[in-house]
Amino acid sequence: MNAIAVKNSVTLDTLYEINETSEEQVKAIYDRAREEFKNLKKTTTKERVAELKKVRDEIFENREIIVEKVVQETGKSRTDAVVSEVMGVLDYADWIISNTPKILADKKVSTPISLMGKKSKIFHEALGPVLIIAPWNYPFNIAMVGIFTALAAGNTVVFKPSEVTPLKGLIEAMMKASPLLQRCVTVVYGSGSTAQKLIDQRPAKIFFTGSARTGKKILSQAANYLIPVELELGGKDQMVVFDDVNIARTVAGCLWGAMTNAGQSCTSVERVYVQQGIYQAFVSKLKEETAKLVLNAGDEGDADIGGITASFQLDIIRKQVDEAKESGADIIVGGELLSDDMPFYMPTIIEHASTDMTVVSDETFGPVITISPFNGEQEVIDVSNNTEFGLSASVWSKDLKRAERVARALEVGAVSINNVMLTEGNPALPFGGTKQSGFGRIKGAEGLLGMTQSKAILVDKQSAKIEANWYPYTRAKYKLFGQFIEALFGKGLQKWIKFAISGIKLESESQKPRG
Amino acid sequence: MADIYDFVIIGSGPSGAVLAYNLSKAGARCLMLEAGKEFTSSTFPANELSANTSLMWNGGMDTTTDASVLFLRGKTLGGGSIINQCLLDRFDDNAFDDWRGRTGVDFFSTKAMSQYYDEVESKLSLHTMEKTDWNRNAELYVEGFEKCGMDWAPLRRGQSNCGEGNDCIVCLGGCPRESKQSTLVTYIKMAREHGLKVETEFNVSQIVHGTNLVSVFGEQRGSTRQVYGRRCIVAGGALGTTHMLLKSGFKDKLPALGNNFNCHPQFMNIALFDEIVDSHKGAFQSVKSQDPRFREQGFKLENVFAGPIAIALLNPGFGLDHQRFMQKYRNMACIEVAVRDATAGKIDIDRTGRLKIKKTMADADWQRANAGLQVVEELFTTLGAREIMKSPIKIGLHLMGGCTLGKEGGSSVVNEAFQVHDHPNLFIADSSIFPSAPGINPALSIMALAQKASEHILDECGVKSERTKQPYSGVEVQI
């Protein structure tokens, strides 16, 4: 069994080792998950959210420990860690705890007049053991959002964290607050090969957050078993800035959107389009403010930009920027590592980058933006939609009608207007992408429902009555159906009278035996 | 573009300069940051007023919150060593025993420190003032001491060649002859030869300590600047260093930060004589008190004087009376009482980040001051002074403490390896680490401690100046 070293991403010291999980172990994990699912299925949503509340409280109590562990493994700045990994999780936990009973309550739906006397409803049922595979950029947040949602819906969970940031033991420790739910969540450590074994055991559904490349692999493996998959993949998010904005605030938003978590967010701003009239002023303010950003990790909360968590990601960032430089783009700020022996990439602004450069076509996932001017609304819509990604975007303008018009035209799953990366700040809003950014939604009612399957229920009364459309079929019934259709779907004021007459006739005809 | 160094050294006085030299010489890439400007012997300000405003923090007008003590601290490349008299005495057993007693730190002893004193002294030109150096003020001082049966001694000063016909009072505003052994002409000069980079007019507003990196954020000539060091040495003196740490929020983890602030409050006493004394001429300071009774009582008497602006400031009042007083500038002799203060003050910041210094004289301190003042009165009376003016204003020289060195994190800020508790990449070895007031001019001892700190820092961190470019690792992107 191969040991995988988990490193402090800043010092590169090995913190501990994890091992791949064997096929036998994986099988046993699923056996247990299926067994526990039977028990969990018997609980009501109210009972489950009461248990989730205990876990939520445990997270609240241990927030500093969580921040510490996340910082150690990711190298992110302390404030990034507390805001996204603690505050974000608590915010979502509170939302799911208070909204699950409502969203998952049996839903009555209307019954058409042709089915008069019957009742219809939908049950939102749990799926079974679901497999959640999480990335390294928000290792606690993405884990807990997925786990909370799955448990709220009544599923048991097999969770595989990234081998880069497994946070070994942390999730298990939080789950201990609820013995019931603790049994329903198994954290499985390992790399891609472990993930493959986990898929082979046919989870009820797979929720993957990560790169498009891995997403495709998972989807094709899952296709063999017809396992439904939701994919939250990368982005190349655009920020569209019209010339009627407050420059200082928009620049501040741009920097945060681009640099938070050192740009290692799938919804990081990566491409900035600024309307010609304010382009120069915007760029110079952006340069001025970038100089104020403090890089560090292991801080007490004062550092703005932390480290790049995964060394392979640092390679991608360096490669993209270096190639852009060689191909004639202008690096106006940054463009290099702070020091070759530390994972801190300088906040970087690139001008004159073109679509044939990877820094424009591929996801960068680092503290890097390209910036370019545009003239008109349609132009920026076309140019910024010209990407295979479609996760989220932001539109900045005083003219809210225009902003909304542009928001509708952008081929993405979320748009913040006059703010940035904020749709994910509201747990009630769905989160997910279009195009190569994946499909399916997490968070919001849609996200919760995505962890369930809908069961349709129609209730009729017990009686001796034979339905009109049941056998036997007769010529008389055929004629009456004709009149009935004409009455029900035709035009004219007398249709309801005709409907009633044909309905009564049809019903009485239906009670007669053949011949 | 990326400003990263092995060591960022904030401050260029006796501590920062010695560390900069030793670390640069060992091969480390060092950057020295200084809030003030750089002057040379030929560009130092020509008069007292512009010297105060160009070379000192807040024009030499930092005060306690109750405005009872005035603090002078250097803000120029070379720091305090530019505006002091460069009196270079070692601490005695009395001083070190007190420190050892307070902290339990063994190297606080004349024996353990002598190696480090030797090392810094070997880099400095030292001169023991001779009788031929005396001006009339010094002669009167000695005359009084001998008549009253008190012990005095010649001063030892850092100077190379003051030459002839100089009026050394001007070198309080920067020595124009490159003689005074300020760090500018000694350690900084030597450190630069070993590659030290110096940036002046860099005002540090925040130090951000990280796992293996320290970010130093500030402002330089109107622009935001930040530099990065694998380690950072804060050497801004008691007020400067403590202020920077307080502003950076270190108090959260270092409860003792700002405590234990000491200074040697100085009371200038001016006596008017019928004769022309011309205390401002010739060598400014030549002799000192060496009476064991004074040391026991916690004061010493300084043979000093001051420029006309400072003297005018010391005498309250205005108008004709004041003018008449100042007209007698040439008739003034001066002996100053320097108190070894026993009551520690506290350095804090207000909500806007400004320094808030609390330093009151308690009974014990007044006892010491009054004992000294009584002796001065006796001396001047014996010498036949026409009038004696005791200054109501205390000048706080030799600012010490705020980041006390000690073994326990709860009661001190810096450990025995000069490392800030819980902040392995941050070091302090300036006067802010002093556990109490030694009652002796501290410059040489600050340098000796910085010398010792250099040794610890090099042991602890080594020199990380190798920068090898990592190739792309080419690892497959995995789940």
Side-chain angles (χ1 to χ4, degrees), chain A residues 10-11 133 160 162-163 192 195 208 213-214 291-300 302-303 311-312 315-316 318-319 322 334 336-342 344 346, chain B residues 1-4 206-215 217 224-226 228-230 248-249 253 423 464 466-479:
Chain A
V10 174
T11 62
I133 301 172
K160 193 198 89 65
S162 161
E163 71 276 22
F208 170 74
R213 217 178 93 156
T214 311
K292 296 178 187 167
L293 297 176
V294 172
L295 273 74
N296 218 323
D299 61 306
E300 295 293 326
D302 297 307
S311 60
F312 55 77
D315 289 346
I316 293 170
R318 288 168 67 189
K319 224 173 188 165
D322 290 352
E336 59 183 338
L337 282 165
L338 177 64
S339 173
D340 288 332
D341 58 356
M342 294 180 199
F344 297 106
M346 304 286 284
Chain B
M1 176 78 220
D3 274 335
I4 179 161
Q206 196 183 28
I207 298 165
V208 180
H209 183 275
T211 309
N212 56 359
L213 186 66
V214 180
S215 321
F217 189 87
T224 300
R225 274 294 308 275
Q226 56 178 314
Y228 292 89
R230 293 166 204 280
S248 306
K253 282 198 163 178
H423 297 82
K464 294 202 184 126
E466 298 288 308
R467 302 223 312 165
T468 47
K469 191 139 182 114
Q470 283 180 346
Y472 297 126
S473 64
V475 172
E476 269 286 286
V477 182
Q478 292 169 321
I479 294 174

